Amino acid sequence: MHQWKEIKTIRSKVHLGGGASKLAKLKKNGKLSARERIDFLIDKDSPQFEIGSLAAHGLYQEYGGCPSAGVIVVLGRINRRLSIVVANDATVKAGSWFPMTTKKNLRAQEIAIENHIPIIYLVDSAGIFLPLQNEVFADQQHFGRVFRNNAIMSSHGIVQIAAIMGPCVAGGAYLPAMSDEIIIVEKTASLFLAGSHLVKAAIGENIDNETLGGALTHSAISGVADHQAKDDVHALQIIRDLIEKMPSPKLAGFSKNNPKSPEWNPAKISEIIPDHSWKPYDTHVLLNHLVDKNSFNEYKKNYGKTLITAYARIDGWSVGIVANQRSQGIHQNGEVQLGGVIYSDSADKATRFIANCNQRKIPLVFLQDVMGFMVGKRAEHGGIIKDGAKMVNAVANSVVPKLTIVIGNSYGAGNYAMCGRAFDPRLMLAWPNAKIGVMGKDQASKVLFDLQKKRAEASQNGPLDLEKIKADYQHQESSLNAASQMWVDEIINPSETRKWISMGIELANHNPKSKQFNMGILQV
């Protein structure tokens, strides 16, 4: 899968943050980089699962870009306790908050809330990026939502620890202040609502930043900080010590057996997907590379064949799989159906299967390679809208954890029915070849071309370029654009799909709270 090489190349550049010179400046000032801080914090023998590494890729170019949205988010174990770490990258605009920075921080908090795991903030930020303040400050999902989430997590008993490792100013000062425990680093860290220059301008008081809001001030005078650290390493060790003394978490109790390797090699799973997204393949073959050997039990195998529904185990975890079947010429009731398209019978099957998994407390894994719902006279007369609505209803009201991987196409309402981002999967992941859009490139480009052609004719503008329209749409539907906009949490190597699913269910297993599944008036 050639796209994975491209993603790896981009990611290696992103990992440099603001560049080698700025990383060197941090080191000269006695500070660790955001990624070095995380590496110290996470157990050495524990894998790290990064969330949103490609967030904001290609955005904000007029301001020099914002690699990884200026903040690093990683899932991993700290003294064996699964946690999520949020670290400002001071090499990217001094850790300022861009619109995507806010979105990424809120996503990290959402993961902590949904899965009831500790969240660690490594604060090193100059605050809101002022040229874009109108896109960051005042709306429901803007900067203030972070503090609202701080309060909600505290009330739910979700541990929040903040280490102030650099500047922390203005509204951003409330993030650590609203955490459960605060660590502040000597000399390099500061915390105040207004810095010394603004204090001078506002009230005429002459004071330096260290006296105003340095480590000694907040540890010995204001009492805002709970721990004073001599340097970054000391602060991180305090966090590890605090996590080590936490009690073991209560678990939801999802079923797990000893893991078994798949029947076929997971490292070769990418070879199943054709180079062109419209070419068919047998999804059953792909699943043989993904699920534990001899664990696959298909539900309604001979009915609604354009969707595969099955009970299985992945890395020992019991899962319910809903996957689009991409085989060519699927025969159902004397009709040849199109692979990757959801018909009434397949929607009905999926709805019933989702209900079963909710009844039995089995997490759901959605593998998206969907062209959308079937259209036309026969489909409409057969009630495709109602059957599709039932499936969407079941996905929306599902109370078991949901994990979604876009392994190919994700078009139209198929994205919704197969648990797209709007339906709150615990993790939403994509393979490098993934495409997400209202419709395919060729169809969309033709519609857009026709619309623009009519406008051009009306205004007597020059000729239009269909190929440029196609190229623009192709970028919009790409996995890279989806990751940049955080429509997906991460683009992953297909060979690591099992690891991500296993970690996702382990993550969800940390929240023992359960709700009753109810589809409302749309009965199965």
Side-chain angles (χ1 to χ4, degrees):
M1 188 174 286
H2 69 278
Q3 298 101 326
W4 179 243
K5 292 181 180 179
E6 178 189 356
I7 297 299
K8 283 174 62 179
T9 300
I10 294 170
R11 192 172 283 155
S12 65
K13 294 178 181 178
V14 164
H15 280 196
L16 293 174
S21 62
K22 291 186 178 179
L23 288 169
K25 186 178 179 181
L26 276 186
K27 188 174 182 179
K28 185 179 178 181
N29 292 335
K31 297 171 69 173
L32 300 176
S33 71
R35 293 188 182 277
E36 287 173 333
R37 289 166 176 169
I38 291 173
D39 287 343
F40 185 93
L41 202 54
I42 301 295
D43 295 348
K44 301 304 178 189
D45 59 348
S46 169
Q48 294 185 19
F49 296 88
E50 186 167 355
I51 301 295
S53 68
L54 298 171
H57 176 73
L59 303 182
Y60 314 121
Q61 293 305 303
E62 65 271 38
Y63 303 108
C66 188
S68 284
V71 62
I72 317 302
V73 175
V74 169
L75 285 160
R77 290 178 178 81
I78 301 173
N79 271 322
R80 301 177 300 281
R81 181 66 178 260
L82 191 58
S83 307
I84 189 162
V85 183
V86 181
N88 297 116
D89 187 346
T91 69
V92 180
K93 299 291 186 295
S96 295
W97 287 56
F98 284 68
M100 286 303 300
T101 315
T102 305
K103 187 172 184 178
K104 190 169 174 179
N105 273 269
L106 291 175
R107 177 63 184 135
Q109 290 183 321
E110 183 179 53
I111 291 172
I113 292 169
E114 286 181 329
N115 301 290
H116 215 276
I117 62 170
I119 183 167
I120 313 301
Y121 307 105
L122 306 181
V123 185
D124 195 343
S125 171
I128 289 175
F129 186 65
L130 286 178
L132 295 174
Q133 65 87 24
N134 66 317
E135 299 178 42
V136 179
F137 175 66
D139 209 347
Q140 184 186 38
Q141 296 299 319
H142 283 180
F143 198 59
R145 190 74 172 187
V146 173
F147 312 135
R148 175 265 187 192
N149 287 349
N150 287 140
I152 294 297
M153 282 189 277
S154 185
S155 72
H156 290 179
I158 298 168
V159 173
Q160 301 173 85
I161 300 173
I164 305 167
M165 311 181 84
C168 187
V169 64
Y174 286 105
L175 187 149
M178 296 188 72
S179 297
D180 303 313
E181 205 145 356
I182 303 174
I183 301 147
I184 189 166
V185 178
E186 297 172 6
K187 298 180 181 179
T188 60
S190 57
L191 176 71
F192 33 62
L193 294 182
S196 56
H197 292 295
L198 186 55
V199 168
K200 173 67 175 175
I203 63 174
E205 183 178 19
N206 287 304
I207 190 169
D208 63 88
N209 281 339
E210 185 66 24
T211 305
L212 181 65
L216 183 61
T217 294
H218 286 306
S219 297
I221 300 173
S222 73
V224 170
D226 304 300
H227 307 273
Q228 184 174 336
K230 62 183 180 181
D231 55 25
D232 282 7
V233 170
H234 185 204
L236 297 167
Q237 187 58 57
I238 291 171
I239 295 172
R240 287 185 55 82
D241 291 344
L242 293 172
I243 295 290
E244 189 271 334
K245 293 172 177 64
M246 289 174 57
S248 299
K250 295 179 180 179
L251 301 177
F254 299 121
S255 173
K256 187 175 186 184
N257 290 348
N258 291 328
K260 293 182 180 179
S261 298
E263 185 174 354
W264 295 344
N265 187 357
K268 296 185 177 181
I269 195 169
S270 61
E271 297 176 8
I272 306 303
I273 305 295
D275 290 337
H276 298 287
S277 61
W278 49 267
K279 287 187 176 180
Y281 62 91
D282 188 351
T283 306
H284 285 101
V285 176
L286 184 150
L287 291 171
N288 283 331
H289 292 76
L290 187 60
V291 306
D292 293 10
K293 188 175 182 179
N294 298 326
S295 72
F296 188 80
N297 303 108
E298 191 162 357
Y299 174 81
K300 291 186 181 290
K301 178 179 180 180
N302 297 315
Y303 177 71
K305 292 182 179 180
T306 64
L307 273 178
I308 296 171
T309 50
Y311 307 104
R313 288 189 182 273
I314 294 178
D315 198 37
W317 292 104
S318 173
V319 298
I321 295 173
V322 181
N324 301 108
Q325 172 58 286
R326 285 298 312 277
S327 285
Q328 188 174 26
I330 300 170
H331 292 270
Q332 181 72 39
N333 298 327
E335 177 188 2
V336 178
Q337 297 183 339
L338 300 172
V341 177
I342 302 175
Y343 290 75
S344 283
D345 52 2
S346 47
D348 173 68
K349 176 172 77 170
T351 301
R352 294 171 181 271
F353 180 72
I354 291 166
N356 282 359
C357 288
N358 274 272
Q359 181 197 55
R360 300 167 197 179
K361 205 175 179 181
I362 298 175
L364 286 159
V365 175
F366 292 85
L367 301 176
Q368 289 193 6
D369 194 347
V370 58
M371 306 302 291
F373 283 90
M374 190 57 190
V375 298
K377 177 181 176 180
R378 185 168 183 174
E380 298 292 0
H381 288 195
I384 185 64
I385 293 176
K386 185 175 183 179
D387 290 322
K390 286 183 178 180
M391 182 178 174
V392 170
N393 188 292
V395 173
N397 283 298
S398 179
V399 297
V400 295
K402 299 168 290 192
L403 305 173
T404 301
I405 301 99
V406 186
I407 65 174
N409 304 304
S410 180
Y411 291 139
N415 170 278
Y416 305 150
M418 292 294 293
C419 197
R421 176 63 103 192
F423 290 79
D424 297 329
R426 297 294 177 97
L427 289 174
M428 177 92 177
L429 308 167
W431 287 1
N433 59 298
K435 294 179 175 63
I436 301 176
V438 175
M439 60 183 74
K441 175 190 66 176
D442 293 333
Q443 302 95 318
S445 299
K446 188 176 186 305
V447 172
L448 290 169
F449 181 78
D450 289 343
L451 288 171
Q452 292 187 25
K453 183 178 179 182
K454 290 177 181 178
R455 291 175 188 154
E457 289 171 352
S459 60
Q460 297 182 340
N461 288 336
L464 299 172
D465 188 344
L466 178 59
E467 292 307 312
K468 183 181 183 306
I469 294 173
K470 283 186 177 182
D472 289 344
Y473 194 87
Q474 187 171 1
H475 167 70
Q476 291 175 25
E477 69 172 10
S478 69
S479 63
L480 191 56
N481 184 56
S484 174
Q485 303 288 344
M486 287 208 71
W487 300 343
V488 298
D489 291 312
E490 195 66 22
I491 300 175
I492 65 170
N493 188 336
S495 66
E496 296 182 345
T497 304
R498 275 172 55 87
K499 294 179 182 178
W500 275 91
I501 292 174
S502 179
M503 189 279 299
I505 299 174
E506 180 185 355
L507 185 68
N509 199 37
H510 280 67
N511 189 350
K513 295 180 181 179
S514 60
K515 299 178 182 177
Q516 187 69 33
F517 176 66
N518 187 340
M519 280 188 61
I521 63 171
L522 281 174
Q523 299 302 316
V524 179

